[in-house]
Amino acid sequence: MMPSSALLSLPMILCLGAAAAGQLTPSRAWPRRWLALMTMVSVTAVGALLLVTVRRNGIQAAQMGGWAAPFGITLVADLLSALMVLVTGLMGLTVVSFSAATLPASREAGAYYPLVLVLVGGVCGAFLTGDLFNLFVWIEVMLGASFVLLALEARQEQLEASIKYMSLSLIGSVVLLCAVGLLYGVAGTLNLADLSVTVPGLGTPRLMTAVSMFFLVAFALKAGAFPLFFWLPASYHTPPAAVTTLFSALLTKVGVYALARVFTLVFTQDARFTSTLLLVMGGLTMVTGVLGAVAQYDVRRLLSFHIISQIGYLIAALGLMTRGALAALIAFLIHYIFAKSALFLVSGATARVTRTYDLHQMGNLYRTQPLLAALFFIPALSLAGVPPFSGFFAKLAIIQAALRTQHWVIAGTAVVVGLLTLFSMMKIWREAFWKAPPENQPQEPNRPLSLGDGVLGPCIAMTTFMVVLGVGAEPLLELADAAAGQLIDPTEYVRAVLRERP
Amino acid sequence: MNPVVMHTVARMMAPVLLLVSLVLAVRGHDIPGGGFVGGLLAAAAFALQMVAFGRSAARRQLRVHPTRLAAAGLLVALLSGVPAMLEGRSFLSSLWGQVPLPWSDGLKVGTPQLFDVGVYLAVLGTAMSFILGMSRGEETTAPELGR
């Protein structure tokens, strides 16, 4: 068995090392592609191993460089982190194989795969770090790679999108850096476990609430929550489908993860105020996201608005702050990463057939691509929360948690937003798959109408996850419950990190 | 116009700047300095060449493509952490050793120095890809960068 310190640092070492090695290999498609594929396989394996280790032996912590806890570089894996690393590896694998099937060889030969690896490494780092400043750094690593990935093709709309995305993200980063600085000034430490111990004894609850609001704004911006989501629909529809899938699967989730981490571990004194704020924010995010989606006719913009509305569910679940709600949050997070990725991958696959993302221009795909239609139908129903797919159980758990704490408004909002989600999924189904093809469609006689090899593989994998997580929801919910237990009661986390301290 | 002063100064200063950047990188372990500052100063040396002789000349003098240089630096920095892992300690734990020298007590070498070398290369590569990238398009005959 590998020591836990090696296991904890391996995802980042593998990703960054492979990114550097990939950039050093000759500029051809195949070495970079295979290097990226192999790395993602290893990251997935490490994530699985980490999950098994944490499940069996409790929370794992390691100090990079061997400097003891509050001073050194701490990496921690509780069940949530390990689960997220595993999912990140799986998503990386999916996206790399989808890129190999869809991107032109010239794009693959460039800096594309190294950037994807840097992004995945940054995401893994954000999930595993036990220190707020390192969290900031890993988020920057991830964002830096995403800026370049967004603008890699350098088309005009992409440059416009990346300017919006970059400027808003950088504002978020500045706020985050201010928050980190303020917290360090008040508490004198940035180690999460150490903060969890020292903050309650500081005797400045109002100041801590003020600092926590800085974190709330910064992470809510990264997550795409209610008043701060404008960058998301402005940018996510411009890059290739593989990149959009990667972004939607990982970037906003880091924001949600960070919110869950700081508001369960550090800022727990003023729980009533923060939880009310999170609930209001979550509810409004759900509603605005889904209403924005209803009006859209570009598949990718529509799905981007759904990212926002689903983020609302997660933030509302965090606002409930009970063990059941946090378990629901984790189950929903896992389900939703797979569901949304499946939908983006299918939208990329349909665009290969129809050459457009505009719903008006599509039609009749049910006849011409029956398998693709099935692959859209299952995640669409799952996202809307129809049984027996994973979304049903995840959404049910959130609504149950809301009812149990007598938050009727949130429960009602969640149900209504679920119905509206179903409505807009059915809109895609009707427009793209069901209706007769538009008559004025420009018919180019010799354009290829085939999908190409290997495009469906990743879509099938995602949809299979959806069915497996739906039919076999029990183990996932059990795991999520155990992870929520670790979030609610941070003593094990603190003990694992500060073991060496007297 | 032939900017004689600029050319002369740039030519004379280049070795000095590069040497100082190396000195800074080496002394950085215990006193102010280090790979980051050293790398920046080295990038400044190449930037001066660019101002004096143009973009393609600076690119030629760098010899390696800047992003490859940055990648190599990142790889070296990562590798410097691996020996500690092989010994069963945490990633990036420092290992030190003495290299006996005939004329003195011995030279203290260790993995943090390798890490600094990596940082030096990574910073030089990144800074140069920014600097060269921003000046792209100023020359009418854009030189092929190669990858």
Side-chain angles (χ1 to χ4, degrees):
Chain A
M1 200 70 197
M2 230 182 281
S4 67
S5 72
L7 214 50
L8 280 164
S9 48
L10 264 181
M12 287 77 91
I13 300 176
L14 283 172
C15 287
L16 296 181
Q23 190 64 22
L24 287 174
T25 54
S27 179
R28 301 239 174 73
W30 65 268
R32 295 186 176 192
R33 180 195 306 160
W34 283 103
L35 191 65
L37 266 179
M38 289 300 109
T39 314
M40 292 308 176
V41 169
S42 346
V43 170
T44 313
V46 170
L49 211 54
L50 200 58
L51 187 62
V52 171
T53 314
V54 174
R55 189 86 172 113
R56 198 174 293 157
N57 306 338
I59 296 178
Q60 302 291 316
Q63 318 297 335
M64 297 301 99
W67 301 95
F71 311 111
I73 303 167
T74 308
L75 295 182
V76 201
D78 62 356
L79 278 173
L80 175 59
S81 304
L83 204 56
M84 292 314 290
V85 171
L86 175 60
V87 171
T88 306
L90 279 174
M91 283 318 305
L93 191 56
T94 312
V95 167
V96 167
S97 42
F98 191 77
S99 312
T102 54
L103 289 183
S106 60
R107 177 76 48 225
E108 284 188 89
Y112 177 77
Y113 286 124
L115 285 166
V116 169
L117 285 165
V118 170
L119 190 139
V120 171
V123 171
C124 287
F127 287 144
L128 286 173
T129 182
D131 181 289
L132 276 174
F133 185 73
N134 286 328
L135 180 65
F136 168 74
V137 172
W138 285 119
I139 287 179
E140 288 308 298
V141 167
M142 166 190 109
L143 287 177
S146 74
F147 295 153
V148 188
L149 274 175
L150 189 62
L152 207 54
E153 285 177 337
R155 280 186 285 120
Q156 191 186 351
E157 47 166 17
Q158 288 183 334
L159 293 179
E160 187 193 329
S162 71
I163 287 172
K164 290 176 188 162
Y165 173 58
M166 224 174 121
S167 43
L168 285 173
S169 296
L170 286 179
I171 292 173
S173 300
V174 169
V175 176
L176 180 55
L177 192 60
C178 292
V180 168
L182 280 172
L183 186 60
Y184 188 68
V186 178
T189 177
L190 287 173
N191 187 297
L192 282 167
D194 202 26
L195 279 172
S196 167
V197 177
T198 49
V199 163
L202 283 176
T204 49
R206 277 168 186 281
L207 187 55
M208 286 322 283
T209 308
V211 174
S212 77
M213 289 305 109
F214 271 78
F215 279 101
L216 181 69
V217 168
F219 290 142
L221 198 147
K222 309 281 180 213
F226 166 58
L228 306 162
F229 61 77
F230 300 103
W231 56 272
L232 201 153
S235 58
Y236 271 29
H237 62 287
T238 55
V243 176
T244 313
T245 310
L246 190 67
F247 284 12
S248 86
L250 301 178
L251 295 188
T252 46
K253 308 309 160 295
V254 172
V256 174
Y257 167 86
L259 277 177
R261 188 60 84 198
V262 295
F263 281 104
T264 55
L265 199 56
V266 183
F267 304 113
T268 49
Q269 296 82 50
D270 208 351
R272 181 189 277 281
F273 174 67
T274 44
S275 100
T276 313
L277 198 60
L278 284 169
L279 282 174
V280 171
M281 200 178 202
L284 287 173
T285 310
M286 277 191 240
V287 174
T288 44
V290 86
L291 290 183
V294 167
Q296 297 300 321
Y297 268 88
D298 178 309
V299 181
R300 289 179 300 174
R301 287 188 76 109
L302 201 157
L303 292 175
S304 304
F305 272 105
H306 275 297
I307 299 182
I308 300 166
S309 110
Q310 309 292 316
I311 289 288
Y313 279 93
L314 295 168
I315 291 178
L318 180 63
L320 293 173
M321 282 287 174
T322 60
R323 180 169 176 159
L326 288 177
L329 186 158
I330 294 162
F332 195 90
L333 191 59
I334 306 289
H335 136 73
Y336 153 53
I337 289 177
F338 289 137
K340 192 36 72 58
S341 311
L343 289 173
F344 270 115
L345 290 178
V346 170
S347 81
T350 51
R352 286 176 72 78
V353 182
T354 58
R355 298 269 180 260
T356 178
Y357 285 101
D358 186 359
L359 283 174
H360 295 300
Q361 309 280 321
M362 295 184 186
N364 211 22
L365 280 171
Y366 175 69
R367 299 252 165 67
T368 53
Q369 301 285 341
L371 183 57
L372 204 58
L375 288 177
F376 170 79
F377 200 63
I378 291 174
L381 288 187
S382 180
L383 189 77
V386 174
F389 306 115
S390 55
F392 171 70
F393 296 100
K395 226 167 239 186
L396 182 69
I398 290 186
I399 294 170
Q400 274 177 340
L403 290 178
R404 212 168 284 144
T405 46
Q406 289 160 3
H407 287 96
W408 314 114
V409 180
I410 285 294
T413 314
V415 173
V416 172
V417 170
L419 284 176
L420 287 173
T421 310
L422 188 62
F423 169 72
S424 67
M425 286 298 128
M426 287 310 105
K427 182 168 94 180
I428 302 184
W429 174 256
R430 194 183 66 230
E431 294 286 328
F433 293 92
W434 200 248
K435 76 166 189 225
E439 284 168 7
N440 54 353
Q441 199 172 22
Q443 284 293 341
E444 299 154 41
N446 51 359
R447 68 172 182 172
L449 272 173
S450 67
L451 275 172
D453 298 329
V455 174
L456 283 180
C459 310
I460 292 176
M462 287 292 108
T463 309
T464 315
F465 279 131
M466 201 107 315
V467 178
V468 169
L469 289 181
V471 177
E474 197 55 39
L476 175 69
L477 288 176
E478 211 172 281
L479 195 64
D481 186 56
Q486 290 178 343
L487 283 181
I488 280 286
D489 179 17
T491 41
E492 191 192 347
Y493 187 98
V494 172
R495 200 169 343 112
V497 175
L498 299 179
R499 195 185 307 138
E500 293 87 358
R501 261 225 311 213
Chain B
M1 193 189 81
N2 187 12
V4 157
V5 178
M6 190 68 204
H7 281 182
T8 315
V9 170
R11 200 168 288 135
M12 282 167 61
M13 285 303 285
V16 180
L17 284 172
L18 286 175
L19 198 64
V20 173
S21 84
L22 286 178
V23 169
L24 273 177
V26 170
R27 82 201 273 266
H29 185 64
D30 295 324
I31 32 181
F36 195 93
V37 196
L40 278 184
L41 195 63
F46 285 104
L48 184 62
Q49 297 302 302
M50 194 185 84
V51 172
F53 301 107
R55 181 172 181 277
S56 51
R59 172 66 188 78
R60 251 197 323 279
Q61 283 166 345
L62 195 62
R63 284 161 198 258
V64 194
H65 190 273
T67 60
R68 291 204 173 199
L69 201 60
L74 178 60
L75 208 56
V76 170
L78 280 172
L79 284 180
S80 77
V82 173
M85 275 171 88
L86 298 180
E87 281 203 348
R89 297 167 61 194
S90 290
F91 178 66
L92 284 179
S93 297
S94 41
L95 301 175
W96 289 99
Q98 296 275 342
V99 175
L101 292 178
W103 60 88
S104 77
D105 297 342
L107 186 65
K108 195 178 163 201
V109 290
T111 50
Q113 285 160 342
L114 196 60
F115 185 79
D116 256 350
V117 172
V119 172
Y120 182 94
L121 293 177
V123 170
L124 174 59
T126 314
M128 280 323 287
S129 65
F130 288 164
I131 292 169
L132 293 176
M134 278 192 285
S135 69
R136 182 147 46 182
E138 278 184 10
E139 295 172 4
T140 43
T141 52
E144 186 49 48
L145 267 179
R147 206 178 271 280

